[in-house]
Amino acid sequence: MQVLISQLNSYRNAFVFFLLIILLLVANGSVYAQKTDTAKKVNISILKTIRFESFQTDSGVINKFIGDVQLQQAESIMYCDSAYLNQKTNNLEAFSNVKIIQPGGTEAMSDYLRYTGNIKLAFMKGNVSLTDGKSKLWCTELTYDLTTKTGTYDQGGTLQNDATTVSSNSGVYDVKNKDSRFKGNVIITDPQYNIKSEDLGYNTETKVIRFFSPSVVLGDKSKLVTSSGTYDSKNEIAHFISRSSITDADQYLEADTINYDKHTGNGDATGHVISIDTAQHSTLYCGHADYNGKTHKLLAVDKPVLKQMNGADSLFMRADTFYSAPVPKKSIQKDSTTTTEKKVEKPSRHAGKTKKQVKQPEIEPATDTAAIDSTSPRFFIGYHHVLIFSDSLQGKCDSISYSQADSILRMMKNPAAWAHNSQITGDTIILKMDSGKLKSIFVPNNALLVTRSGPPKAQMFDQVQGKTLTGHFVNNAITYMVVYPNAESIFFPKDEKNQYLGVNQGTSEKMKVYFKNQKVDRIILEQEPHNTMTPLNQINISTTRLSRFIWLEDLRPKSREELFK
């Protein structure tokens, strides 16, 4: 029995010892927590006042300070005409001529202040201003965090930074990091631009504007529409990452992303790019374009298509790559004269010369660059897999050049052009347009004209070939052409009843071909003519071909939509 009692006493003593250890641990934890809370809490102390009162309330003792009041919490100094301080809750109310001064030149002013000291959060009302010494924010109500130096308002406010003014319904101003976020009827006024938005950010030090919603930026002669991206107004660098557009007096640009550096002039646009030149009535579509605003040069890739307005009949041109630049003014007359006089109207001057001896018009003379501006006529050079489409003309070649100065289009390397029922090929094809209509066509070497005669199954083709070919159009319809020298022809003439007479095969130094209803009507042989007529039943029509005959109808673009595929 005594042994049992002794064991019970041992268990009791051990339990009491264990309980004491637990109580000590709890007590120490409580003391540590109290020390931690006390360490976080920074009391508001009084530095100066004219009159002091104290009274007891349910929430604790309230100290009232009247006249030239100065209070301090950590490094922040507060001024006011009168204040109520609850030292137990560390909360403060201040009235009239309220001012908070923080290190670094930050000042906040208002008519009224309600301050929660433990979290250093101030609610300010009435004639509120917040400044870092350089930028200044005005509003009617402001919630200001003294720790982060961040002010928030939702009753309207205005930020002034140098010559830039920003107003909005609500906003957040981070004095420490100089970042601002404005929402609701945002208006930015600057000597260089004006902005309207519903949501944007602004850094008062870097002067970078961030767009978070549809916004409109108006310059002296330009308009920008975007909803996402940045604009560095100090360095004039734009980076827009959503569908955006830029409009000025003569140009319009739209793309999924746009980047532009005004100082270097370099810019690029990516994603469903649409570039419109309103002065020259042209539109460029592509997947990506690089542009320089100073030289006005442009390089377009990713399925570029150029649309040139020609009255009611627009001309579409597609290539793998398009390069474009303004035509220097001193070169316009020279280029036009060279092309018109030597190639279109008087091709006979080149008779007997080789292809290399025929002088080609200059595409980009390096003269009078100072005369170039955004409204100057442009030239375009397209490289590889070129397709051309309009209602009156279709074509294909490997490369192309087009000048808005003289409306001359040059098709190079394996070119083929179709006008209604006629196909024209050669080493190079030069087309001249006037007032939006085809005026003439010139082939300087290895010229060939093929026109279908009869139904497709008949495989009957009127054919004319020679060294050069010059054709003329009226209302986009070919009327007559001259082939010279070494002209050859195969022609299926008809009588008055539209019945075939046979096949006419001729040669001469020079031929004139006349058209009626888009088909060959008659051929006149001049200078050493030789001509034979053979009945149709005595020839094999399918083999009645000139030496350079080729029919490329399968390569002919059938619609403008084909160019955008």
Side-chain angles (χ1 to χ4, degrees):
M1 188 66 175
Q2 291 180 349
V3 174
L4 179 61
I5 293 173
S6 177
Q7 289 178 346
L8 291 173
N9 289 332
S10 298
Y11 291 146
R12 183 183 62 187
N13 292 335
F15 176 75
V16 171
F17 178 75
F18 177 73
L19 183 61
L20 289 174
I21 294 297
I22 294 298
L23 291 175
L24 286 173
L25 290 174
V26 172
N28 286 337
S30 177
V31 171
Y32 176 76
Q34 290 179 0
K35 287 182 178 180
T36 303
D37 292 342
T38 303
K40 289 182 179 180
K41 179 179 179 181
V42 179
N43 288 326
I44 301 172
S45 58
I46 181 70
L47 298 180
K48 181 181 178 181
T49 187
I50 295 176
R51 180 180 172 186
F52 168 75
E53 296 179 4
S54 180
F55 49 90
Q56 182 71 40
T57 67
D58 294 340
S59 60
V61 177
I62 303 296
N63 294 325
K64 181 178 180 181
F65 308 98
I66 303 174
D68 195 17
V69 181
Q70 297 182 23
L71 303 104
Q72 181 175 6
Q73 186 186 40
E75 296 180 329
S76 300
I77 308 296
M78 305 178 191
Y79 301 84
C80 62
D81 289 347
S82 62
Y84 292 86
L85 174 64
N86 187 326
Q87 290 186 329
K88 181 178 179 181
T89 61
N90 210 27
N91 293 338
L92 171 73
E93 274 193 283
F95 302 88
S96 187
N97 297 314
V98 178
K99 180 188 293 186
I100 301 174
I101 298 179
Q102 292 182 280
T106 303
E107 293 186 9
M109 300 178 66
S110 65
D111 295 335
Y112 169 78
L113 167 68
R114 184 173 68 246
Y115 183 66
T116 306
N118 291 343
I119 58 175
K120 296 184 179 180
L121 188 66
F123 172 74
M124 309 180 76
K125 185 176 181 179
N127 298 311
V128 181
S129 66
L130 175 63
T131 181
D132 61 359
K134 184 178 180 181
S135 302
K136 193 171 186 179
L137 171 69
W138 292 275
C139 55
T140 56
E141 292 184 3
L142 180 72
T143 300
Y144 180 60
D145 189 324
L146 276 68
T147 302
T148 63
K149 289 189 176 182
T150 302
T152 304
Y153 64 89
D154 57 11
Q155 299 296 318
T158 301
L159 175 68
Q160 180 73 41
N161 174 241
D162 295 330
T164 304
T165 302
V166 186
S167 63
S168 65
N169 295 340
S170 64
V172 178
Y173 177 38
D174 186 336
V175 179
K176 185 183 295 184
N177 297 317
K178 314 301 181 184
D179 271 331
S180 310
R181 182 75 177 265
F182 304 97
K183 295 183 179 182
N185 195 28
V186 184
I187 298 176
I188 297 183
T189 304
D190 185 271
Q192 302 298 322
Y193 58 88
N194 294 307
I195 300 177
K196 291 184 179 181
S197 177
E198 287 300 312
D199 188 358
L200 59 77
Y202 178 68
N203 187 287
T204 57
E205 185 173 14
T206 64
K207 296 190 176 180
V208 173
I209 302 169
R210 297 184 179 275
F211 300 94
F212 300 102
S213 72
S215 308
V216 177
V217 183
L218 297 176
D220 183 29
K221 296 180 180 180
S222 64
K223 177 181 178 181
L224 162 69
V225 178
T226 188
S227 58
S228 181
T230 62
Y231 175 63
D232 183 342
S233 60
K234 182 188 294 185
N235 299 306
E236 297 184 294
I237 298 175
H239 175 56
F240 306 122
I241 57 176
S242 65
R243 192 69 182 172
S244 306
S245 66
I246 301 175
T247 308
D248 61 21
D250 302 293
Q251 305 288 326
Y252 173 84
L253 176 66
E254 181 179 336
D256 291 343
T257 64
I258 298 175
N259 301 295
Y260 185 67
D261 186 331
K262 188 174 182 179
H263 289 286
T264 64
N266 293 325
D268 63 80
T270 303
H272 303 94
V273 180
I274 302 174
S275 177
I276 301 176
D277 186 335
T278 55
Q280 300 299 327
H281 309 290
S282 66
T283 303
L284 180 66
Y285 307 87
C286 64
H288 179 85
D290 293 307
Y291 178 74
N292 187 283
K294 293 185 176 181
T295 63
H296 304 291
K297 294 180 179 180
L298 179 144
L299 182 68
V301 295
D302 191 6
K303 304 176 183 177
V305 175
L306 173 66
K307 175 185 177 183
Q308 181 67 42
M309 295 294 294
N310 292 324
D313 186 11
S314 298
L315 181 68
F316 292 82
M317 294 173 275
R318 190 195 79 179
D320 292 346
T321 301
F322 265 117
Y323 171 77
S324 175
V327 178
K329 291 184 178 179
K330 286 185 179 180
S331 70
I332 294 175
Q333 185 176 359
K334 178 180 179 181
D335 186 86
S336 177
T337 302
T338 302
T339 302
T340 303
E341 292 184 356
K342 293 187 177 182
K343 289 194 171 184
V344 178
E345 296 180 6
K346 299 180 180 180
S348 59
R349 292 185 182 181
H350 300 312
K353 294 184 179 181
T354 64
K355 180 181 179 182
K356 292 183 179 179
Q357 290 175 315
V358 179
K359 185 178 180 181
Q360 297 292 328
E362 297 179 22
I363 292 176
E364 188 182 7
T367 59
D368 197 18
T369 55
I372 298 174
D373 58 42
S374 62
T375 62
S376 296
R378 303 182 67 84
F379 69 86
F380 296 84
I381 300 177
Y383 299 99
H384 308 311
H385 305 105
V386 176
L387 293 178
I388 302 170
F389 183 87
S390 72
D391 291 340
S392 56
L393 174 73
Q394 299 83 47
K396 68 164 290 293
C397 58
D398 182 73
S399 57
I400 191 173
S401 71
Y402 174 72
S403 173
Q404 295 173 336
D406 50 20
S407 298
I408 290 180
L409 186 150
R410 301 165 179 84
M411 303 171 62
M412 295 163 282
K413 195 174 180 180
N414 301 320
W418 294 270
H420 300 285
N421 297 314
S422 298
Q423 171 192 286
I424 298 174
T425 57
D427 292 349
T428 300
I429 296 176
I430 301 174
L431 293 159
K432 172 73 175 179
M433 286 173 282
D434 184 23
S435 301
K437 295 181 179 181
L438 282 171
K439 181 179 179 182
S440 62
I441 185 170
F442 175 61
V443 180
N445 197 54
N446 286 326
L448 171 68
L449 165 71
V450 180
T451 301
R452 187 190 295 277
S453 179
K457 291 183 180 181
Q459 293 296 300
M460 300 170 64
F461 297 96
D462 295 327
Q463 307 155 52
V464 180
Q465 71 180 29
K467 179 175 177 55
T468 68
L469 179 153
T470 304
H472 300 271
F473 294 80
V474 174
N475 294 326
N476 289 326
I478 191 167
T479 56
Y480 78 96
M481 63 175 53
V482 178
V483 179
Y484 174 83
N486 304 322
E488 301 177 63
S489 67
I490 293 178
F491 174 46
F492 293 88
K494 297 179 181 180
D495 59 18
E496 296 178 354
K497 297 181 179 180
N498 205 31
Q499 300 295 318
Y500 286 103
L501 298 174
V503 57
N504 190 310
Q505 295 175 284
T507 62
S508 66
E509 187 67 6
K510 181 178 181 181
M511 287 187 183
K512 292 182 179 179
V513 184
Y514 293 88
F515 292 79
K516 184 178 181 180
N517 298 325
Q518 309 297 332
K519 293 183 179 182
V520 176
D521 180 57
R522 56 194 174 96
I523 299 177
I524 298 177
L525 282 62
E526 298 180 354
Q527 301 178 21
E528 302 177 9
H530 180 75
N531 186 50
T532 61
M533 175 73 79
T534 305
L536 292 182
N537 58 5
Q538 297 181 16
I539 63 168
N540 185 350
I541 294 177
S542 62
T543 61
T544 308
R545 305 287 188 258
L546 293 177
S547 60
R548 295 199 298 270
F549 174 85
I550 187 171
W551 185 245
L552 304 171
E553 184 67 21
D554 292 342
L555 302 179
R556 183 178 189 175
K558 303 302 188 296
S559 67
R560 66 187 64 181
E561 289 75 20
E562 185 177 334
L563 275 63
F564 288 91
K565 289 183 180 179

